[in-house]
Amino acid sequence: MTYRLFEPLHIGTKVLRNRTLRAAAFEGMAPNHRPSPDLVAYHRSVSAGKVGMSTVAYAAVEQSGLAFPHQLWLRKEIQKDLQELTHAIKTEGALASIQIGHCGNMANPQVSLGRPLSPSGKFNFYGTSWPRAMDKTDIARVVHSFGDAVRIARDSGFDAVEVHAGHGYLISQFLSPLTNRRTDEFGGSLPNRMRFMRQVISEVRSAAKNDLAVLVKMNLQDGKPGGQTLDEAVEIATCLEQEGADALILSGGFVSAAPMYVMRGEMPLDVMSALIPNPILRMFVRLLGPRLVPPVPFQENYFLHDAQVIRSSVKLPLIYVGGIVSRRCIDEVLAAGFEGVAIARALIADPAFVAKLEQEEHATSVCDHCNYCAARIYTTQMACHKRQTPEPPFLSICKKRGYVS
Protein backbone atom coordinates (compact mmCIF):
# COMPACT_ATOMS: atom_id res chain seq x y z
CA MET A 1 0.00 0.00 0.00
CA THR A 2 2.99 2.34 0.37
CA TYR A 3 2.68 3.81 -3.12
CA ARG A 4 -0.61 5.47 -2.09
CA LEU A 5 1.29 7.73 0.27
CA PHE A 6 2.79 9.58 -2.67
CA GLU A 7 -0.40 10.04 -4.63
CA PRO A 8 -1.98 13.53 -4.62
CA LEU A 9 -4.53 14.21 -1.89
CA HIS A 10 -7.60 16.41 -2.51
CA ILE A 11 -8.88 18.42 0.47
CA GLY A 12 -11.62 20.83 -0.55
CA THR A 13 -10.36 22.79 -3.53
CA LYS A 14 -6.71 22.13 -2.69
CA VAL A 15 -4.44 19.34 -3.91
CA LEU A 16 -1.49 18.16 -1.83
CA ARG A 17 1.42 16.56 -3.65
CA ASN A 18 1.19 13.53 -1.35
CA ARG A 19 -0.80 12.29 1.63
CA THR A 20 1.36 13.69 4.44
CA LEU A 21 0.73 16.70 6.66
CA ARG A 22 3.08 18.23 9.17
CA ALA A 23 0.84 18.06 12.24
CA ALA A 24 0.15 21.24 14.17
CA ALA A 25 2.65 20.68 16.99
CA PHE A 26 3.42 23.90 18.88
CA GLU A 27 6.79 25.28 17.75
CA GLY A 28 7.22 28.02 20.38
CA MET A 29 8.91 30.17 17.73
CA ALA A 30 6.74 33.29 17.79
CA PRO A 31 8.19 35.81 20.26
CA ASN A 32 5.90 38.81 20.64
CA HIS A 33 3.24 36.67 18.95
CA ARG A 34 4.71 36.96 15.45
CA PRO A 35 6.64 34.55 13.21
CA SER A 36 10.38 34.42 13.85
CA PRO A 37 13.14 33.52 11.39
CA ASP A 38 13.40 30.17 13.21
CA LEU A 39 9.72 29.44 12.51
CA VAL A 40 10.18 30.27 8.83
CA ALA A 41 13.33 28.16 8.62
CA TYR A 42 11.74 25.16 10.32
CA HIS A 43 8.68 25.07 8.06
CA ARG A 44 10.87 25.63 5.03
CA SER A 45 12.95 22.60 6.03
CA VAL A 46 9.86 20.41 6.51
CA SER A 47 8.52 21.50 3.12
CA ALA A 48 11.89 20.83 1.50
CA GLY A 49 11.64 17.38 3.07
CA LYS A 50 8.65 16.72 0.79
CA VAL A 51 5.71 16.95 3.19
CA GLY A 52 2.42 17.54 1.38
CA MET A 53 1.20 20.34 3.66
CA SER A 54 2.95 22.03 6.57
CA THR A 55 0.73 23.26 9.39
CA VAL A 56 1.78 26.23 11.51
CA ALA A 57 0.56 25.55 15.03
CA TYR A 58 -1.44 27.07 17.82
CA ALA A 59 -2.35 30.52 16.48
CA ALA A 60 -4.77 32.42 18.71
CA VAL A 61 -7.68 34.15 17.02
CA GLU A 62 -7.65 36.96 19.59
CA GLN A 63 -5.55 38.11 22.52
CA SER A 64 -7.85 36.53 25.11
CA GLY A 65 -6.94 33.14 23.67
CA LEU A 66 -3.18 33.33 24.30
CA ALA A 67 -1.38 30.97 26.68
CA PHE A 68 2.27 31.86 26.01
CA PRO A 69 4.34 34.95 25.15
CA HIS A 70 5.91 32.98 22.27
CA GLN A 71 2.60 31.90 20.70
CA LEU A 72 1.22 33.23 17.41
CA TRP A 73 -1.66 35.70 17.51
CA LEU A 74 -3.31 36.28 14.15
CA ARG A 75 -3.73 39.99 13.45
CA LYS A 76 -3.17 42.34 10.54
CA GLU A 77 0.03 43.79 12.01
CA ILE A 78 1.91 40.56 11.34
CA GLN A 79 0.53 39.87 7.89
CA LYS A 80 3.80 40.68 6.12
CA ASP A 81 5.64 38.21 8.38
CA LEU A 82 2.99 35.57 7.69
CA GLN A 83 3.39 36.12 3.96
CA GLU A 84 7.12 35.45 4.30
CA LEU A 85 6.28 32.22 6.11
CA THR A 86 3.79 30.97 3.52
CA HIS A 87 6.16 31.92 0.70
CA ALA A 88 8.92 29.84 2.28
CA ILE A 89 6.63 26.82 2.60
CA LYS A 90 5.19 27.02 -0.90
CA THR A 91 8.53 27.72 -2.57
CA GLU A 92 9.56 24.22 -1.49
CA GLY A 93 6.45 22.65 -3.03
CA ALA A 94 4.20 22.09 0.01
CA LEU A 95 0.88 23.72 0.81
CA ALA A 96 0.65 26.03 3.82
CA SER A 97 -1.91 25.59 6.58
CA ILE A 98 -2.37 27.30 9.93
CA GLN A 99 -4.08 26.00 13.04
CA ILE A 100 -6.44 28.55 14.60
CA GLY A 101 -7.97 28.34 18.04
CA HIS A 102 -8.54 29.84 21.46
CA CYS A 103 -7.02 28.48 24.68
CA GLY A 104 -10.10 29.18 26.80
CA ASN A 105 -9.36 28.36 30.43
CA MET A 106 -5.74 27.60 29.50
CA ALA A 107 -5.06 31.26 28.65
CA ASN A 108 -2.39 33.05 30.67
CA PRO A 109 -3.74 36.27 32.27
CA GLN A 110 -0.30 37.89 32.04
CA VAL A 111 -0.33 37.38 28.28
CA SER A 112 -4.04 37.59 27.47
CA LEU A 113 -4.43 40.60 29.81
CA GLY A 114 -7.64 39.39 31.42
CA ARG A 115 -9.26 36.49 33.23
CA PRO A 116 -9.32 33.40 31.07
CA LEU A 117 -12.60 32.56 29.37
CA SER A 118 -14.36 29.22 29.64
CA PRO A 119 -17.81 27.72 29.18
CA SER A 120 -18.53 27.51 32.91
CA GLY A 121 -15.91 29.31 34.95
CA LYS A 122 -14.70 26.09 36.56
CA PHE A 123 -11.31 26.34 38.31
CA ASN A 124 -8.49 25.03 36.11
CA PHE A 125 -5.96 23.38 38.42
CA TYR A 126 -3.62 22.53 35.55
CA GLY A 127 -3.36 26.20 34.56
CA THR A 128 -3.81 27.45 38.15
CA SER A 129 -6.40 29.94 36.99
CA TRP A 130 -10.01 30.70 37.82
CA PRO A 131 -11.63 31.65 34.51
CA ARG A 132 -14.94 33.40 34.08
CA ALA A 133 -17.89 31.87 32.28
CA MET A 134 -18.47 33.32 28.81
CA ASP A 135 -21.65 35.30 28.31
CA LYS A 136 -23.46 35.59 24.99
CA THR A 137 -21.45 38.71 24.06
CA ASP A 138 -18.18 36.84 24.64
CA ILE A 139 -19.38 33.93 22.53
CA ALA A 140 -20.43 36.14 19.62
CA ARG A 141 -17.13 38.06 19.70
CA VAL A 142 -14.95 34.95 19.75
CA VAL A 143 -16.94 33.38 16.92
CA HIS A 144 -16.39 36.55 14.88
CA SER A 145 -12.67 36.46 15.74
CA PHE A 146 -12.41 33.02 14.14
CA GLY A 147 -13.76 34.53 10.93
CA ASP A 148 -11.30 37.43 11.12
CA ALA A 149 -8.45 34.97 11.62
CA VAL A 150 -9.47 33.07 8.48
CA ARG A 151 -9.49 36.26 6.44
CA ILE A 152 -6.00 37.15 7.69
CA ALA A 153 -4.81 33.63 6.86
CA ARG A 154 -6.24 33.91 3.35
CA ASP A 155 -4.63 37.30 2.74
CA SER A 156 -1.33 35.96 4.09
CA GLY A 157 -1.16 33.22 1.47
CA PHE A 158 -2.26 30.17 3.45
CA ASP A 159 -3.98 27.39 1.52
CA ALA A 160 -5.88 25.97 4.50
CA VAL A 161 -6.93 26.58 8.07
CA GLU A 162 -7.18 23.94 10.77
CA VAL A 163 -9.77 24.75 13.43
CA HIS A 164 -8.60 23.36 16.77
CA ALA A 165 -11.64 21.69 18.34
CA GLY A 166 -9.72 19.18 20.44
CA HIS A 167 -7.24 18.71 23.28
CA GLY A 168 -9.23 20.61 25.88
CA TYR A 169 -8.98 24.10 24.37
CA LEU A 170 -12.01 26.38 24.08
CA ILE A 171 -14.13 24.54 21.49
CA SER A 172 -13.25 21.25 23.17
CA GLN A 173 -14.15 22.78 26.54
CA PHE A 174 -17.65 23.45 25.22
CA LEU A 175 -17.89 19.89 23.87
CA SER A 176 -16.69 18.16 27.03
CA PRO A 177 -18.81 17.50 30.13
CA LEU A 178 -15.59 17.92 32.12
CA THR A 179 -15.65 21.68 31.57
CA ASN A 180 -19.12 22.52 30.24
CA ARG A 181 -21.58 22.83 33.11
CA ARG A 182 -23.79 25.42 31.44
CA THR A 183 -27.55 25.27 31.78
CA ASP A 184 -28.40 27.43 28.75
CA GLU A 185 -28.55 26.46 25.07
CA PHE A 186 -24.75 25.96 25.02
CA GLY A 187 -24.73 23.26 27.72
CA GLY A 188 -26.31 20.02 28.77
CA SER A 189 -27.09 17.73 25.83
CA LEU A 190 -24.48 17.05 23.18
CA PRO A 191 -26.40 19.04 20.51
CA ASN A 192 -26.27 22.02 22.88
CA ARG A 193 -22.58 21.47 23.67
CA MET A 194 -21.89 21.40 19.91
CA ARG A 195 -23.64 24.73 19.35
CA PHE A 196 -20.52 26.89 19.87
CA MET A 197 -18.51 24.63 17.54
CA ARG A 198 -21.21 24.83 14.89
CA GLN A 199 -21.25 28.63 15.07
CA VAL A 200 -17.45 28.73 14.74
CA ILE A 201 -17.41 26.37 11.75
CA SER A 202 -20.20 28.32 10.06
CA GLU A 203 -18.22 31.55 10.50
CA VAL A 204 -15.00 29.92 9.32
CA ARG A 205 -16.67 28.32 6.31
CA SER A 206 -18.22 31.67 5.32
CA ALA A 207 -14.89 33.50 5.64
CA ALA A 208 -12.93 30.79 3.80
CA LYS A 209 -15.34 30.70 0.83
CA ASN A 210 -13.63 28.49 -1.78
CA ASP A 211 -10.22 30.05 -1.24
CA LEU A 212 -9.13 27.94 1.72
CA ALA A 213 -9.58 24.33 2.70
CA VAL A 214 -11.14 23.97 6.16
CA LEU A 215 -9.83 21.15 8.35
CA VAL A 216 -10.93 20.48 11.92
CA LYS A 217 -8.90 18.73 14.62
CA MET A 218 -11.25 16.91 16.98
CA ASN A 219 -11.02 14.50 19.89
CA LEU A 220 -11.87 10.86 19.56
CA GLN A 221 -12.01 10.72 23.36
CA ASP A 222 -10.93 13.06 26.15
CA GLY A 223 -9.07 10.22 27.84
CA LYS A 224 -10.62 11.01 31.22
CA PRO A 225 -13.71 9.47 32.86
CA GLY A 226 -16.62 11.86 32.55
CA GLY A 227 -15.22 13.48 29.43
CA GLN A 228 -16.23 13.32 25.78
CA THR A 229 -16.67 9.73 24.63
CA LEU A 230 -16.07 7.92 21.36
CA ASP A 231 -19.82 7.60 20.79
CA GLU A 232 -20.09 11.38 21.10
CA ALA A 233 -17.15 11.75 18.71
CA VAL A 234 -19.19 9.98 16.03
CA GLU A 235 -21.95 12.58 16.43
CA ILE A 236 -19.42 15.42 16.44
CA ALA A 237 -17.77 14.14 13.26
CA THR A 238 -21.15 13.76 11.57
CA CYS A 239 -22.04 17.31 12.57
CA LEU A 240 -18.76 18.67 11.19
CA GLU A 241 -19.36 16.85 7.92
CA GLN A 242 -22.80 18.43 7.69
CA GLU A 243 -21.36 21.88 8.52
CA GLY A 244 -19.03 21.68 5.52
CA ALA A 245 -15.63 20.74 6.95
CA ASP A 246 -13.33 19.58 4.15
CA ALA A 247 -11.42 17.09 6.33
CA LEU A 248 -11.10 15.97 9.93
CA ILE A 249 -7.89 15.32 11.87
CA LEU A 250 -8.62 12.68 14.49
CA SER A 251 -6.78 13.07 17.78
CA GLY A 252 -7.55 12.76 21.48
CA GLY A 253 -6.72 13.86 24.99
CA PHE A 254 -7.56 16.78 27.27
CA VAL A 255 -4.51 18.82 28.27
CA SER A 256 -5.86 19.83 31.68
CA ALA A 257 -7.14 16.37 32.61
CA ALA A 258 -5.26 13.74 30.57
CA PRO A 259 -2.24 15.50 29.02
CA MET A 260 -0.21 12.44 28.02
CA TYR A 261 -3.20 10.80 26.35
CA VAL A 262 -2.42 13.14 23.42
CA MET A 263 1.16 12.07 22.69
CA ARG A 264 1.78 9.06 24.98
CA GLY A 265 4.92 8.22 26.85
CA GLU A 266 6.37 10.12 29.79
CA MET A 267 6.75 13.88 30.18
CA PRO A 268 10.34 14.65 31.27
CA LEU A 269 9.39 16.99 34.10
CA ASP A 270 12.99 17.82 34.93
CA VAL A 271 13.38 19.25 31.43
CA MET A 272 10.08 21.13 31.74
CA SER A 273 10.98 22.69 35.08
CA ALA A 274 14.57 23.57 34.17
CA LEU A 275 13.65 26.88 32.55
CA ILE A 276 10.77 27.91 34.81
CA PRO A 277 11.97 31.21 36.36
CA ASN A 278 9.52 31.20 39.27
CA PRO A 279 11.06 29.01 42.04
CA ILE A 280 7.68 28.25 43.61
CA LEU A 281 6.18 27.11 40.31
CA ARG A 282 9.35 25.16 39.56
CA MET A 283 9.03 23.30 42.86
CA PHE A 284 5.31 22.78 42.19
CA VAL A 285 6.08 21.06 38.88
CA ARG A 286 8.76 18.87 40.42
CA LEU A 287 6.63 17.76 43.36
CA LEU A 288 3.15 17.50 41.85
CA GLY A 289 4.04 16.97 38.19
CA PRO A 290 4.13 13.16 38.41
CA ARG A 291 0.57 13.19 39.75
CA LEU A 292 -0.75 15.84 37.31
CA VAL A 293 1.05 14.45 34.23
CA PRO A 294 1.17 10.66 34.68
CA PRO A 295 2.72 8.63 31.86
CA VAL A 296 0.59 6.76 29.33
CA PRO A 297 2.28 3.84 27.49
CA PHE A 298 3.32 4.61 23.91
CA GLN A 299 2.46 2.28 21.08
CA GLU A 300 2.49 2.67 17.31
CA ASN A 301 -0.72 4.04 15.74
CA TYR A 302 -2.26 4.40 19.19
CA PHE A 303 -5.42 6.20 18.00
CA LEU A 304 -6.12 3.88 15.06
CA HIS A 305 -8.73 1.65 16.70
CA ASP A 306 -10.86 4.62 17.79
CA ALA A 307 -10.30 6.43 14.49
CA GLN A 308 -11.70 3.46 12.55
CA VAL A 309 -15.03 3.97 14.32
CA ILE A 310 -15.21 7.47 12.81
CA ARG A 311 -14.09 6.12 9.42
CA SER A 312 -17.15 3.89 9.30
CA SER A 313 -19.46 6.80 10.17
CA VAL A 314 -18.56 9.61 7.75
CA LYS A 315 -17.51 10.00 4.13
CA LEU A 316 -15.35 13.15 4.16
CA PRO A 317 -11.53 12.83 4.11
CA LEU A 318 -10.01 11.75 7.43
CA ILE A 319 -6.43 12.46 8.45
CA TYR A 320 -4.91 10.09 11.00
CA VAL A 321 -2.44 11.30 13.65
CA GLY A 322 -0.81 9.48 16.56
CA GLY A 323 2.12 7.08 16.86
CA ILE A 324 3.34 7.15 13.24
CA VAL A 325 6.97 6.05 13.24
CA SER A 326 7.51 4.20 9.94
CA ARG A 327 6.27 3.36 6.47
CA ARG A 328 4.71 0.24 7.93
CA CYS A 329 2.62 2.37 10.30
CA ILE A 330 1.48 4.57 7.43
CA ASP A 331 0.61 1.59 5.24
CA GLU A 332 -1.59 0.24 8.03
CA VAL A 333 -3.42 3.58 8.29
CA LEU A 334 -3.95 3.97 4.55
CA ALA A 335 -5.10 0.36 4.24
CA ALA A 336 -7.72 1.10 6.90
CA GLY A 337 -9.31 3.69 4.61
CA PHE A 338 -7.82 6.97 5.82
CA GLU A 339 -6.96 9.56 3.19
CA GLY A 340 -3.82 10.96 4.81
CA VAL A 341 -1.52 11.06 7.81
CA ALA A 342 -0.38 13.93 10.03
CA ILE A 343 3.08 13.60 11.54
CA ALA A 344 4.49 15.59 14.46
CA ARG A 345 7.44 14.26 16.49
CA ALA A 346 9.02 12.36 13.60
CA LEU A 347 9.27 15.66 11.69
CA ILE A 348 10.71 17.44 14.72
CA ALA A 349 13.39 14.76 14.95
CA ASP A 350 13.98 14.85 11.19
CA PRO A 351 12.32 17.42 8.88
CA ALA A 352 13.27 15.19 5.92
CA PHE A 353 11.37 12.17 7.28
CA VAL A 354 8.85 12.18 4.42
CA ALA A 355 11.64 12.18 1.83
CA LYS A 356 13.14 9.15 3.58
CA LEU A 357 9.77 7.41 3.48
CA GLU A 358 9.85 7.80 -0.27
CA GLN A 359 13.42 6.59 -0.63
CA GLU A 360 13.63 3.72 1.86
CA GLU A 361 11.26 0.76 1.93
CA HIS A 362 11.76 0.19 5.65
CA ALA A 363 12.22 3.80 6.74
CA THR A 364 11.70 4.37 10.46
CA SER A 365 11.79 7.61 12.43
CA VAL A 366 14.78 8.35 14.65
CA CYS A 367 12.37 9.82 17.26
CA ASP A 368 12.62 7.97 20.57
CA HIS A 369 9.34 9.42 21.99
CA CYS A 370 11.12 10.84 25.03
CA ASN A 371 9.02 14.04 24.72
CA TYR A 372 12.01 16.31 25.29
CA CYS A 373 10.66 18.47 22.47
CA ALA A 374 7.26 18.83 24.16
CA ALA A 375 8.70 19.58 27.60
CA ARG A 376 10.59 22.60 26.24
CA ILE A 377 7.74 24.45 24.57
CA TYR A 378 6.24 25.89 27.77
CA THR A 379 9.21 28.23 28.13
CA THR A 380 11.22 28.11 24.91
CA GLN A 381 11.04 26.72 21.40
CA MET A 382 10.73 23.08 20.44
CA ALA A 383 13.89 21.16 19.64
CA CYS A 384 14.95 17.53 19.40
CA HIS A 385 17.94 16.44 21.44
CA LYS A 386 19.00 14.26 18.49
CA ARG A 387 19.43 17.26 16.19
CA GLN A 388 21.63 19.43 18.39
CA THR A 389 23.63 19.34 21.57
CA PRO A 390 21.18 20.59 24.20
CA GLU A 391 22.15 23.90 25.73
CA PRO A 392 22.41 24.50 29.49
CA PRO A 393 20.56 23.79 31.69
CA PHE A 394 19.31 20.93 29.54
CA LEU A 395 22.70 19.39 28.82
CA SER A 396 23.25 17.89 32.27
CA ILE A 397 19.65 16.64 32.39
CA CYS A 398 19.97 15.04 28.97
CA LYS A 399 23.21 13.35 29.95
CA LYS A 400 21.56 11.98 33.09
CA ARG A 401 18.66 10.64 31.03
CA GLY A 402 21.01 9.13 28.46
CA TYR A 403 19.82 11.33 25.59
CA VAL A 404 23.39 12.43 24.86
CA SER A 405 26.80 11.04 25.81
Side-chain angles (χ1 to χ4, degrees), residues 258-339:
M260 297 311 296
Y261 192 84
V262 179
M263 65 189 84
R264 307 300 168 96
E266 174 194 1
M267 178 60 71
L269 295 168
D270 47 1
V271 174
M272 179 187 292
S273 64
L275 280 183
I276 296 176
N278 185 316
I280 297 177
L281 183 57
R282 184 165 59 245
M283 185 61 65
F284 176 85
V285 169
R286 289 174 177 172
L287 292 178
L288 295 183
R291 174 178 291 184
L292 294 176
V293 193
V296 178
F298 177 88
Q299 64 183 62
E300 297 177 2
N301 287 349
Y302 50 81
F303 283 139
L304 185 55
H305 179 270
D306 285 356
Q308 286 176 300
V309 176
I310 306 299
R311 176 69 289 169
S312 64
S313 305
V314 296
K315 296 181 180 179
L316 80 171
L318 297 180
I319 309 300
Y320 175 81
V321 65
I324 291 175
V325 300
S326 66
R327 272 175 52 159
R328 184 186 58 77
C329 289
I330 294 172
D331 288 348
E332 182 182 14
V333 169
L334 296 181
F338 295 88
E339 281 75 16

Side-chain angles (χ1 to χ4, degrees), residues 41 57 78 108:
I78 68 167
N108 182 343

Side-chain angles (χ1 to χ4, degrees), residues 124 289 332 373:
N124 175 24
E332 182 182 14
C373 57

